[in-house]
Amino acid sequence: MKVLSIQKATKIYGSSVQVKAVDQLSLEVNEGEFIAIMGASGSGKSTLLNLISGILPLTSGDIFIRGKSILGMTEEESAIFRRDELGFVFQDYNLIDTLTIGENIMLPLMFTGKDVKTMQEEAKDYAKKLGIGDLIGHRIYEVSGGQAQRASIARALIHHPRLLLADEPTGNLDSASAQEVMRQFVRCNEEEQVSTLMVTHDAKTASYCKRVVFIKDGKVFNEIYREGKQLQFYDEILNVLKFMGGE
Ligand SMILES: Nc1ncnc2c1ncn2[C@@H]1O[C@H](COP(=O)(O)OP(=O)(O)OP(=O)(O)O)[C@@H](O)[C@H]1O
Ligand SMILES: [Mg+2]
């Protein structure tokens, strides 16, 4: 089954002055895929993620997540659906400063009815998997950006979402931290079959993925699949970006 099926999704912002941010965009994502979405600033990438997550209503078209349409869900259903099926990673981590790394990772389990000890154990396991096991007692301001981002990936994955959505997850990171974070995304995708959709400006970051979808003016402009080595894919990505920019 497709984990995600976007069918002619359109999003128009505003009433007097209208901006067509996403324009009849269709995209199919198979279970276990790892996809980067690239495109110029303002091309509609974040809007697309917000449509998928149901945070923004579609103007027209439809989106199916594991065969279930997000149309016609009430706000409450949509919130529960987001909570159960989706994981989110943001550029600025969205962690809670007053909580420890371990408590932040544990947050999505709070509504599951599990006892505190179990939740703590699971949070610890995930922190270990992401290489931040000895930081669970630290607060956010006591860790690096790369470590904070790995905590936010652990938080996004701890409730085993069907689809992981990430918007510029390496945008605030230096290149070494970005690489470490990307290796973690790859590991989660390969070992836990987490289907991932990641927006990025950075060709290096995108080269870790298996498919890159290029968006221009709210439409799919092109897409390429990784067949050979990462470095070769990186060159291919740069070529498409050059071609898009040069049009
Ligand atoms: N709330 C809003 N109201 C009106 N227009 C908006 C709103 N949010 C975004 N837009 C417009 O929609 C278009 C797409 O924006 P979006 O944020 O999806 O782009 P993006 O590809 O994520 O860009 P970036 O790479 O800069 O993050 C832009 O023209 C933007 O100005
Ligand atoms: Mg954006």
Side-chain angles (χ1 to χ4, degrees):
M1 192 196 291
K2 304 268 181 242
V3 68
L4 175 66
S5 172
I6 302 173
Q7 300 183 357
K8 295 191 176 170
T10 297
K11 179 66 189 178
I12 299 173
Y13 286 113
S15 44
S16 50
V17 184
Q18 298 197 330
V19 179
K20 207 182 252 184
V22 173
D23 188 5
Q24 302 245 347
L25 187 148
S26 297
L27 181 69
E28 302 277 327
V29 179
N30 289 315
E31 205 84 62
E33 277 203 271
F34 186 16
I35 300 176
I37 302 209
M38 300 192 82
S41 181
S43 58
K45 306 179 297 293
S46 296
T47 302
L48 181 64
L49 288 195
N50 289 332
L51 291 173
I52 296 167
S53 63
I55 292 166
L56 274 180
L58 283 157
T59 303
S60 65
D62 203 351
I63 294 176
F64 296 83
I65 298 176
R66 284 182 55 85
K68 186 166 169 32
S69 167
I70 64 166
L71 287 183
M73 281 190 202
T74 64
E75 250 175 57
E76 196 191 348
E77 284 169 338
S78 171
I80 292 172
F81 189 72
R82 257 196 309 276
R83 191 189 71 187
D84 293 345
E85 307 277 344
L86 303 178
F88 298 94
V89 177
F90 304 92
Q91 179 169 354
D92 55 2
Y93 328 129
N94 272 22
L95 297 164
I96 296 171
D97 290 332
T98 50
L99 299 181
T100 64
I101 292 279
E103 288 163 347
N104 268 286
I105 296 174
M106 231 164 75
L107 273 182
L109 299 179
M110 291 299 185
F111 54 83
T112 57
K114 291 182 174 172
D115 62 272
V116 175
K117 199 152 172 40
T118 311
M119 292 195 291
Q120 283 170 338
E121 287 297 317
E122 288 181 21
K124 201 172 168 184
D125 281 351
Y126 258 92
K128 270 192 204 150
K129 278 188 191 170
L130 285 142
I132 48 172
D134 38 2
L135 297 178
I136 49 171
H138 285 56
R139 309 221 172 242
I140 309 310
Y141 54 83
E142 295 171 328
V143 303
S144 73
Q147 290 163 339
Q149 192 59 297
R150 282 184 273 156
S152 86
I153 297 171
R155 182 190 54 184
L157 293 180
I158 197 163
H159 67 301
H160 304 290
R162 302 289 188 183
L163 181 62
L164 183 60
L165 301 173
D167 200 347
E168 294 278 359
T170 61
N172 283 353
L173 303 177
D174 61 79
S175 71
S177 306
Q179 278 189 47
E180 183 48 46
V181 162
M182 286 314 299
R183 276 198 282 271
Q184 292 301 335
F185 273 110
V186 170
R187 193 192 56 74
C188 295
N189 173 254
E190 284 176 355
E191 290 176 14
E192 301 176 39
Q193 279 77 51
V194 184
S195 310
T196 306
L197 206 57
M198 170 182 299
V199 167
T200 181
H201 273 115
D202 181 46
K204 185 82 200 290
T205 295
S207 69
Y208 284 85
C209 301
K210 293 174 193 152
R211 165 154 66 130
V212 180
V213 176
F214 298 88
I215 298 205
K216 187 168 187 172
D217 303 327
K219 296 187 178 81
V220 174
F221 176 82
N222 196 352
E223 59 179 334
I224 55 175
Y225 286 83
R226 175 168 160 187
E227 273 146 19
K229 293 225 157 60
Q230 186 182 352
L231 208 58
Q232 185 187 335
F233 196 42
Y234 173 68
D235 283 335
E236 290 169 23
I237 294 166
L238 287 180
N239 279 336
V240 177
L241 290 175
K242 244 183 258 165
F243 179 67
M244 281 174 87
E247 261 211 329

